[in-house]
Each structure stands twice: as structure tokens, then as C-alpha cells.
Amino acid sequence: EQDARLAKAAGSPMQSLDAADDPVSEAIRLRQAFEQLEVQRGIVTIGAAHATLSIPTHFRLVPRRSIEALSTRLGGGPVERDLFGWLVHDSVDLADDDAWFIAVSYSPIGHVSASDAEDLSSPDLVEANRKLTAQYAGGEYAFDAFEHVPAWREDIGTLAWGETLAYTDNSEKLIDCYAVKPTRAGVIAFMAEYMPKARSELCLRSVRLMAASTRFDAGWGWDDYSFFRDSRAGADFADVVTGAAFE
């Protein structure tokens, strides 16, 4: 289960555990690999997004290059193109089965437009999300409902929501949370996945905290968009929620 979480966040099949191998030896190998991860603290630059992230106290960042090294060490494939890194709380041991982290990515898809609040809370968005999820889930999971209804926070310039997902190989429904900070030219996304419902509030607050801790360089915020100067994604906030904006 834990390898599946890492595979989805890294964007590659990290096939580190072979059922035919000694599970104790594989667990030791996995833990040793995590111990070699590079971490960063303080303020980091998300250069492609023209932004900086002030990593909150008690969190550390595992940068992309270290995730790539981890994937190579464990026999995985290439890391997702847009991935910037993982944000991990100091209380979390990534080698534990219940480990969680926040994947940070930047997608230069162009400027996305706002959606009305009514559109973000509409049953139509629920159905659109259900259909699009089914297209790329491969039958492994299905969108169930919004645990936290998508909402735009003007004060921190962030679109945030939480989804409940039903998995074919797990009787427990799990939650994915997202906080998306649109830029002049794309979106920065913070994503926490596979969280149990008991951690619903932690899930949403954690991703929203990271978005609130992100600042744009002068002239690169969402409101700095120029119709004559910048490219457009041809999508709005609702499309970001369903994933249609990234297709």
C-alpha cells in the first residue's frame, strides 16, 4: 500500500517490493533508501512558477532531485514532469505504512479563469468529476463525493477542496486534498493523498497552509495576468477541480 502512495505522487511505478523477496529485507532496503533522502528547510524558490515557498515550521521539503534518486534506487521509472517535491511533517517517517506527505507541483498550463461560487458547489461538478476520474482511474478507484466542497479563498488566492475516493482493493474510503494557487501562467498545486477520513481536517488544513505560505515574485501573481501578454489555459477553476484543465 505504501509503495502505491509513493508511485502515484512520484508519477512513476516504484516497484521496490517484490512479493517473492524476503519482506524483512525489502523493508530494511526501503527504510535505508528513505534515510538517504535530501531535505531542505526555510525558504525555497519554485523557479518555474516565479514563486517562493516559506516551508512551515516542523515541515521539511524533499526536492525533486532526491525523489528521482529514490525512484532510481528502488527500480522505478521517471518522476512526474511537473513534480517539484514532497513536503513532509517532522513527525512522519516515510517508511511507515501510514506515512503521508504533500506533493508539490507546478503546471505551466496558462492562465485559468475564475468560476462562480455556485459552479464550484454545483451537482454538475460532482458528476463531471466522477466521469473524468473514471477515465483515468483504470477501475482501481472511483470518485465518491466532495469531502470538502471546492472553494476559492480570495485572502490567500487559493482554490481548495477534498475528495472521498472508493478503492476496489480497500473497504475504507480515503481522502485526497488539494490546494491550488493559480499564477499568471499556470498553477501551483499542493496535494495530500490516501488520508483516512479521521484525518479529514488535517488533510485540508495542511495543503491550504502550504498555499498560504507561497508568495509570487512581483508581477507573477494570478491577478497580474494580461490578456495581450499572456497565454490562456482555456479552462476555469471548475476544470482544475475535475482535472480537465490538465488534459
Side-chain angles (χ1 to χ4, degrees):
E1 178 186 352
Q2 194 229 18
D3 269 4
R5 287 201 300 269
L6 296 176
K8 191 173 180 183
S12 64
M14 299 173 68
Q15 301 168 348
S16 62
L17 298 184
D18 189 326
D21 292 337
D22 175 14
V24 175
S25 297
E26 289 295 352
I28 293 174
R29 184 164 77 94
L30 188 62
R31 184 170 294 278
Q32 289 175 338
F34 284 132
E35 289 174 350
Q36 296 180 48
L37 288 173
E38 173 190 352
V39 298
Q40 295 176 304
R41 299 181 187 272
I43 299 176
V44 296
T45 299
I46 308 176
H50 299 273
T52 55
L53 167 63
S54 297
I55 302 172
T57 304
H58 303 305
F59 277 89
R60 70 227 191 240
L61 173 75
V62 180
R64 176 190 176 90
R65 58 180 175 271
S66 195
I67 298 170
E68 290 175 327
L70 176 68
S71 184
T72 298
R73 192 175 300 121
L74 298 179
V79 170
E80 179 66 33
R81 178 184 61 185
D82 294 339
L83 183 69
F84 177 76
W86 297 342
L87 288 158
V88 188
H89 195 272
D90 286 342
S91 65
V92 173
D93 183 340
L94 286 172
D96 290 343
D97 289 340
D98 63 348
W100 64 278
F101 55 87
I102 300 167
V104 188
S105 64
Y106 172 66
S107 303
I109 60 175
H111 185 266
V112 295
S113 58
S115 295
D116 293 334
E118 293 78 9
D119 292 336
L120 293 176
S121 60
S122 168
D124 292 340
L125 185 60
V126 174
E127 187 57 29
N129 208 22
R130 182 171 290 117
K131 288 181 178 179
L132 281 171
T133 300
Q135 291 179 15
Y136 57 74
E140 296 179 4
Y141 58 94
F143 173 80
D144 180 62
F146 284 120
E147 176 74 8
H148 303 285
V149 176
W152 171 253
R153 283 274 302 269
E154 185 73 35
D155 56 335
I156 56 175
T158 299
L159 175 69
W161 72 97
E163 302 178 358
T164 304
L165 302 175
Y167 288 81
T168 56
D169 60 351
N170 193 328
S171 60
E172 179 186 7
K173 292 179 180 178
L174 301 176
I175 297 172
D176 292 352
C177 293
Y178 304 83
V180 173
K181 202 169 182 75
T183 81
R184 199 180 93 188
V187 293
I188 302 173
F190 301 91
M191 173 178 61
E193 296 183 296
Y194 304 100
M195 300 282 276
K197 296 198 75 170
R199 291 182 171 181
S200 174
E201 288 301 320
L202 171 66
C203 182
L204 184 66
R205 289 181 180 180
S206 295
V207 294
R208 202 160 51 196
L209 171 63
M210 299 308 166
S213 302
T214 303
R215 298 288 182 271
F216 293 113
D217 298 342
W220 284 94
W222 182 65
D223 292 336
D224 295 311
Y225 162 77
S226 168
F227 178 85
F228 300 101
R229 177 186 58 195
D230 299 319
S231 63
R232 295 173 294 283
D236 59 15
F237 290 170
D239 295 318
V240 171
V241 172
T242 64
F246 305 97
E247 293 184 338

